[in-house]
Each structure stands twice: as C-alpha cells, then as structure tokens.
Amino acid sequence: MTGKARGSRKSVLITGGGSGIGEAAALRFNSEGYSVCLFDMNKAAIDRVKSKLNPKSGILSFTGSVTNANDVTNAVSAATEAFGTLDCLLT
C-alpha cells in the first residue's frame, strides 16, 4: 500500500485504542496498511501504542471520551479530513 494517495487506503477509528483489544486491533489494522486513528482517555497509553505503529500508513490520535459528543465529533472530523474517509469504526 506504500505510495498510495491520501484517501485511497482504508482507514479505521479505534475507541479504546490505548490498550487491550483496541491496541491489538490498531497493531493489526496498521500491519494491513490501514490508516489508524486512536481514540482513548489515556494519552500516555495512546502514545505508547502510537510508537509501535508504522507511521507510513497514517496515524492520528485523540484523547477524549466516547461519552462526550464533542470529543467524538472532533475525532471523526479530523480523521475524515486527514484520511479522506473512514471505512471502519471499532468500539
């Protein structure tokens, strides 16, 4: 997938992306070439996961809560703008 234009690769937003199943999913999606947006309440956890991902696929991260509509809206808007689309939402 290297060298593809923005928006031509698949993208995913993962809530709880800083640990557990969210972390495992982020690693897997990233290894498959997806652009990944991590969303979690714990910035240190997000940063730790982010350091394990290949940045060539595109990585965004947001600290926030899924219970806060503004946090969710901001994350989705930024991911859509950066990646061109969102193909998958993993919660």
Side-chain angles (χ1 to χ4, degrees), residues 1-26:
M1 299 201 99
T2 305
K4 291 201 173 196
R6 180 185 129 190
S8 64
R9 75 175 65 242
K10 301 251 184 203
S11 60
V12 59
L13 188 150
I14 302 172
T15 64
S19 63
I21 294 171
E23 176 179 359

Side-chain angles (χ1 to χ4, degrees), residues 5-85:
R6 180 185 129 190
S8 64
R9 75 175 65 242
K10 301 251 184 203
S11 60
V12 59
L13 188 150
I14 302 172
T15 64
S19 63
I21 294 171
E23 176 179 359
L27 294 169
R28 180 58 187 251
F29 276 107
N30 182 252
S31 75
E32 296 290 332
Y34 278 68
S35 297
V36 174
C37 179
L38 299 168
F39 187 91
D40 200 289
M41 293 174 58
N42 185 331
K43 181 174 180 352
I46 289 174
D47 291 342
R48 183 184 54 75
V49 173
K50 204 170 152 181
S51 73
K52 297 179 181 182
L53 301 178
N54 179 351
K56 291 181 181 178
S57 295
I59 303 168
L60 288 176
S61 61
F62 289 89
T63 304
S65 173
V66 295
T67 64
N68 183 311
N70 287 332
D71 289 350
V72 174
T73 299
N74 291 338
V76 170
S77 294
T80 302
E81 183 177 326
F83 303 150
T85 187

